Amino acid sequence: MKAVGYQEAGDLSRSDALLDIELPRPEPGPRDLLVKVAAVSVNPVDAKIRRTRAPLSGAFDVLGWDAVGTVESTGADVTAFKPGDRVFYAGAINRPGSNAEYHLVDERIVGRAPASLSDAQAAALPLTAITAWELLFDRLGVSEGGGAGQTLLVIGAAGGVGSILVQLARQLTELTVVATASRPESVQWISDLGAQHVIDHSQPMLAQLQAKGIEQVQLVASLTHTAEHFHQYVECLAPQGKLGLIDDFESLDILKLKPKSLSLHWEFMFTRSLHQTPDMIEQSRLLNRVAALVDQGTLKTTLGEHFGRINAANLLKAHRLLESHQSRGKLVLEGF
């Protein structure tokens, strides 16, 4: 089967950063689906793994976690899906990725793809939808229909996670949503997705909030550059507020959280599959719920740009844009 992979970790200056390769078609384990991949999207984790992680096994590692496709065959213990089902999912970080014609994924982290979306539109959603949902409802503890009188500040809202988080918060809660963006096109993007207020994260944030009549916020979702903005989060958060994080950094001075009794909440959407947690199937249920909300018109795709067919040249272009931090929404590729 066709695939795109790499042999050695490194940056995009390497001539072999990503390569078109041929690999054997995999065979499903007991709870696996073998999916014929139709479309994929690119996430920051793809670039991070490509830069830092040696191949898990064999000569090549295949990146890619978001995928939409059709079930080709199933393992002996699969109960929820059958060949021919159209599915979408975000995969597992400790297994080969989805930048391949055929891909194995555990049925417990797979949902039925939204019927109202094309393959490319649906491929934009799984990883970021899981991340945003778990961050908002599981980590920050907001209940559906709740949040009245509270404000959520979303940092880096024009990216993939922010684009769906803003929608979830607006459509499923009573939170006031303040999003950050620093470019006019990003401001327009997140305003169209439902943010009630937009401020510039490159400028002092508390003053901008107060100019809009918001003295402090109860919740912060930091989706990028947490270490850079951390001291501002402490300023902006009300006493007993909550800070949710998804990005990586070397260190934080968490003692700054103590005077206000602020709490810190990590979200890593691969935790359930990586540790085979007893509630792993919640991600399947979550994706099915997201698909239903999309088909009802409550949520919309966050596809930002289509990069053409799934091959090394096009994936390299997508990785470059992603690493420039200038992308809006999700970057999607389709077909081999």
Side-chain angles (χ1 to χ4, degrees):
M1 68 175 183
K2 294 179 181 178
V4 179
Y6 70 96
Q7 287 181 294
E8 292 185 41
D11 61 34
L12 290 173
S13 65
R14 295 176 61 99
S15 61
D16 60 350
L18 290 174
L19 299 168
D20 293 307
I21 57 177
E22 291 280 339
L23 293 174
R25 182 166 143 173
E27 293 294 327
R31 300 207 68 171
D32 283 341
L33 309 178
L34 177 65
V35 176
K36 185 175 183 180
V37 174
V40 300
S41 70
V42 179
N43 293 281
V45 66
D46 299 52
K48 174 187 173 183
I49 296 298
R50 189 208 73 242
R51 290 193 306 266
T52 62
R53 189 177 80 183
L56 292 173
S57 61
F60 289 94
D61 212 351
V62 176
L63 298 170
W65 284 276
D66 274 329
V68 172
T70 304
V71 177
E72 185 82 2
S73 62
T74 64
D77 297 336
V78 169
T79 60
F81 299 94
K82 64 183 186 305
D85 287 342
R86 182 169 174 261
V87 296
F88 75 150
Y89 56 88
I93 200 167
N94 57 340
R95 301 187 71 176
S98 60
N99 294 338
E101 284 187 279
Y102 294 92
H103 185 231
L104 293 178
V105 61
D106 190 298
E107 67 165 339
R108 291 170 290 179
I109 56 173
V110 175
R112 296 182 183 276
S116 60
L117 296 185
S118 69
D119 290 334
Q121 291 171 327
L125 289 172
L127 188 147
T128 51
I130 295 170
T131 300
W133 189 290
E134 290 182 349
L135 178 61
L136 182 62
F137 298 119
D138 297 342
R139 311 298 170 237
L140 293 177
V142 180
S143 59
E144 287 194 50
Q150 294 187 309
T151 298
L152 168 68
L153 175 60
V154 182
I155 311 299
V161 175
S163 295
I164 192 68
L165 178 58
V166 168
Q167 294 185 69
L168 290 172
R170 281 304 316 275
Q171 297 296 331
L172 299 184
T173 79
E174 296 297 319
L175 292 166
T176 296
V177 179
V178 181
T180 79
S182 58
R183 296 180 297 135
E185 56 269 37
S186 298
V187 172
Q188 187 62 54
W189 173 266
I190 56 179
S191 297
D192 291 344
L193 291 175
Q196 288 125 308
H197 304 285
V198 182
I199 64 174
D200 185 346
H201 50 248
S202 69
Q203 302 297 323
M205 287 187 265
L206 183 59
Q208 294 178 78
L209 289 169
Q210 291 176 340
K212 295 179 180 296
I214 301 169
E215 288 302 314
Q216 289 183 307
V217 303
Q218 289 70 42
L219 305 167
V220 170
S222 181
L223 310 179
T224 185
H225 293 96
T226 290
E228 178 183 339
H229 300 304
F230 180 66
H231 71 283
Q232 293 201 65
Y233 301 158
V234 176
E235 288 181 344
C236 293
L237 277 162
Q240 302 181 81
K242 297 180 180 181
L243 170 60
L245 313 177
I246 67 168
D247 62 330
D248 294 337
F249 42 82
E250 289 189 6
S251 64
L252 287 179
D253 183 5
I254 61 171
L255 285 175
K256 292 181 178 179
L257 303 177
K258 184 177 180 179
K260 289 185 176 179
S261 294
L262 303 177
S263 57
L264 182 66
H265 305 264
W266 275 107
E267 163 56 22
F268 185 52
M269 60 78 53
F270 292 118
T271 294
R272 282 173 161 141
S273 56
L274 184 62
H275 296 282
Q276 298 283 297
T277 61
D279 65 348
M280 189 169 157
I281 199 169
E282 287 302 317
Q283 289 193 344
S284 177
R285 294 170 180 153
L286 188 165
L287 287 171
N288 286 331
R289 178 78 190 287
V290 168
L293 290 166
V294 169
D295 289 339
Q296 293 164 14
T298 302
L299 301 177
K300 57 185 178 181
T301 182
T302 55
L303 192 159
E305 190 168 345
H306 196 304
F307 275 76
R309 302 191 75 79
I310 305 168
N311 58 42
N314 289 338
L315 277 164
L316 281 168
K317 293 176 185 176
H319 277 232
R320 288 192 183 98
L321 179 56
L322 194 71
E323 292 187 349
S324 76
H325 302 290
Q326 299 295 305
S327 60
R328 290 180 293 117
K330 292 298 294 293
L331 312 178
V332 174
L333 299 91
E334 185 176 13
F336 283 89

